[in-house]
Each structure stands twice: as structure tokens, then as C-alpha cells.
Amino acid sequence: MTDARLVGTWTTELEDDGKSVFGLASFTGDGGVTCYQVNAKNIGLGNWESTGKDSFHYNFHILAVSPEGQHVGEAHVLVEGEFVSDDRWEGTGGANFYSPTGELLRGHEGSKVVARKFGIDK
């Protein structure tokens, strides 16, 4: 089940320890998601799906690399959202951080996320 309202590009604002972290998220009609947050050095790739009439969830993974280009870990992000209007949704998100061998290093959940859809600038 998919919701066409989510398809497109959104600005996101994540509340992280009292600070706003801005980003962009793009959702495709076949369930793909590409995300970028200003506090990450790489993009995140993942999937989304509807979970109800006005709700959805998505996840994405971000690879962490050293300055030399070596894989040093991953962040796995999960967000649950609900439409407030056709061009705004709110939700909560969290992330788990893993070593290159898959060991869970730390994680958090319950961060507030607000997103606004934008179209073509004219």
C-alpha cells in the first residue's frame, strides 16, 4: 500500500538534543527513499511504505567512511510519520549506529521530525 502524497521531495527538520538538524528526503512511487541530513557526510538510501490512511514509515542506511575512504560503520534510521496536510507531515525518528562488523554501538529514538513538501521553484 502506497500513498501518492509522499512521492516527491521534502525538507525535513529533526530535533536532536534541542538542536534542529535540517535535511532533504525524496520518496519514489515504488517505495524508494533518498535522504540527506546536514549532520551526515553521505546520503542515505532506503525504503518507505504506508502504514494506514494518513501514516507511513521509512528507513534508510548511511555508510560512514574515514577521510581515507574506508568503511567505518553505518547508521540505520527509522522514521514514522503522519500527514498533517497534503504538504506537511510530522513524526518521530531514531537511529542505531553499527561498527563495520555489525556490532550495535549506540542508538536513540523518539526524535521529533517535521517535513514540508516543495515543488518546482518558479
Side-chain angles (χ1 to χ4, degrees):
M1 175 166 68
T2 61
D3 190 325
R5 292 179 291 179
L6 193 58
V7 174
T9 305
W10 300 75
T11 58
T12 60
E13 182 178 350
L14 168 71
E15 185 180 290
D16 185 24
D17 290 331
K19 298 176 187 170
S20 291
V21 177
F22 296 95
L24 296 171
S26 184
F27 300 88
T28 65
D30 62 354
V33 60
T34 303
C35 293
Y36 173 75
Q37 290 179 211
V38 296
N39 64 344
K41 294 182 180 174
N42 295 311
I43 63 168
L45 299 173
N47 303 284
W48 73 273
E49 65 184 2
S50 294
T51 56
K53 180 179 177 291
D54 291 316
S55 60
F56 58 90
H57 63 200
Y58 65 94
N59 72 313
F60 59 92
H61 295 185
I62 300 171
L63 298 177
V65 295
S66 71
E68 296 78 32
Q70 292 184 324
H71 179 235
V72 295
E74 294 182 21
H76 295 189
V77 178
L78 177 64
V79 177
E80 296 188 20
E82 188 169 330
F83 287 101
V84 176
S85 67
D86 286 346
D87 63 354
R88 180 183 164 98
W89 60 263
E90 296 180 2
T92 57
N96 287 322
F97 301 93
Y98 296 91
S99 73
T101 60
E103 175 189 358
L104 178 63
L105 302 173
R106 60 186 165 84
H108 68 86
E109 59 184 36
S111 297
K112 183 178 179 180
V113 182
V114 175
R116 292 172 186 82
K117 194 171 194 176
F118 67 89
I120 297 173
D121 292 336
K122 295 182 182 184

